[in-house]
Amino acid sequence: MRMGRAMLAVVALLFAVPGGAGAATACPGGGTRPNATNAAAAARTTLCLINQIRLAHHLRPLETNAPLESVAASQVRTMVSWDYFADVRPTGQTPMSLIATSPYRVRGADELSVGQNIAWGSGYLSSPGRIVAAWMASPSHRAIILTAEFRDAGVAVKPALPSVLRAGRRGATYAMEFAVRR
């Protein structure tokens, strides 16, 4: 019950952002279930919703970054095809190691900070709005979203679930990479 109220409060926050009509207009597709034809749009909507939350907390919006999108896409693809659900891959690769060996790191940064949020949902719980609400209701995921130092992000959505979840085949797996180079 407490988690349900927290999710409702987060959904209310998503639609009560400054700027008139709120996130529903600024981030179309928040309630859409990802499928093969709209997964990229679901990823864009997810970042849009995250940025609306960051703006509501007086934080800089995150910039889309292609190398981080590639890491996120690799993460969701790997979770589904290797049948696991975790931040760290069965090979031991962490979000930090994946980003540190990507072109994101190579671009001259002396210091790198990263974060990763992953999620899955089935049915109506697979929409970007529901995934972002669940992240905001989780203290550890919320902390990553509201980390002021992050500047760049990459989001990927795969309209499939690892079978290890035992949630059926209809749903979506999400990964969001956060980073800053200094």
Side-chain angles (χ1 to χ4, degrees), residues 39 66-86 89-90 93 98 116 118-119 155-163 172-177:
L68 294 178
E69 284 181 333
S70 292
V71 171
S74 171
Q75 183 67 11
V76 294
R77 224 178 15 255
T78 303
M79 285 191 293
V80 171
S81 65
W82 291 7
D83 195 25
Y84 75 97
F85 183 78
R89 292 184 179 185
Q93 292 171 292
L98 293 169
Q116 176 179 264
I118 60 173
V155 182
V157 179
K158 183 160 182 68
L161 297 171
S163 62
T173 305
Y174 286 68
M176 183 164 184
E177 311 300 329

Side-chain angles (χ1 to χ4, degrees), residues 4-100:
R5 280 193 213 122
M7 286 186 83
L8 286 175
V10 172
V11 171
L13 170 67
L14 290 174
F15 292 98
V17 195
T25 302
C27 303
T32 303
R33 296 178 194 181
N35 60 44
T37 59
N38 70 7
R44 286 190 301 275
T45 298
T46 302
L47 180 58
C48 180
L49 292 169
I50 294 293
N51 278 336
Q52 291 296 314
I53 291 167
R54 287 178 61 89
L55 287 169
H57 285 85
H58 308 289
L59 299 172
R60 172 191 303 204
L62 300 166
E63 296 289 328
T64 300
N65 180 274
L68 294 178
E69 284 181 333
S70 292
V71 171
S74 171
Q75 183 67 11
V76 294
R77 224 178 15 255
T78 303
M79 285 191 293
V80 171
S81 65
W82 291 7
D83 195 25
Y84 75 97
F85 183 78
D87 289 307
V88 178
R89 292 184 179 185
T91 58
Q93 292 171 292
T94 65
M96 174 62 89
S97 67
L98 293 169
I99 293 171

Side-chain angles (χ1 to χ4, degrees), residues 72-153:
S74 171
Q75 183 67 11
V76 294
R77 224 178 15 255
T78 303
M79 285 191 293
V80 171
S81 65
W82 291 7
D83 195 25
Y84 75 97
F85 183 78
D87 289 307
V88 178
R89 292 184 179 185
T91 58
Q93 292 171 292
T94 65
M96 174 62 89
S97 67
L98 293 169
I99 293 171
T101 58
S102 77
Y104 184 81
R105 175 70 171 127
V106 178
R107 293 195 179 128
D110 292 329
E111 193 176 320
L112 179 66
S113 294
V114 306
Q116 176 179 264
N117 282 350
I118 60 173
W120 67 274
S122 59
Y124 73 94
L125 296 174
S126 67
S127 71
R130 294 294 183 146
I131 294 297
V132 170
W135 281 339
M136 289 301 290
S138 162
S140 60
H141 294 93
R142 178 186 174 92
I144 292 170
I145 290 167
L146 298 179
T147 298
E149 72 176 324
F150 290 137
R151 297 290 180 254
D152 302 309

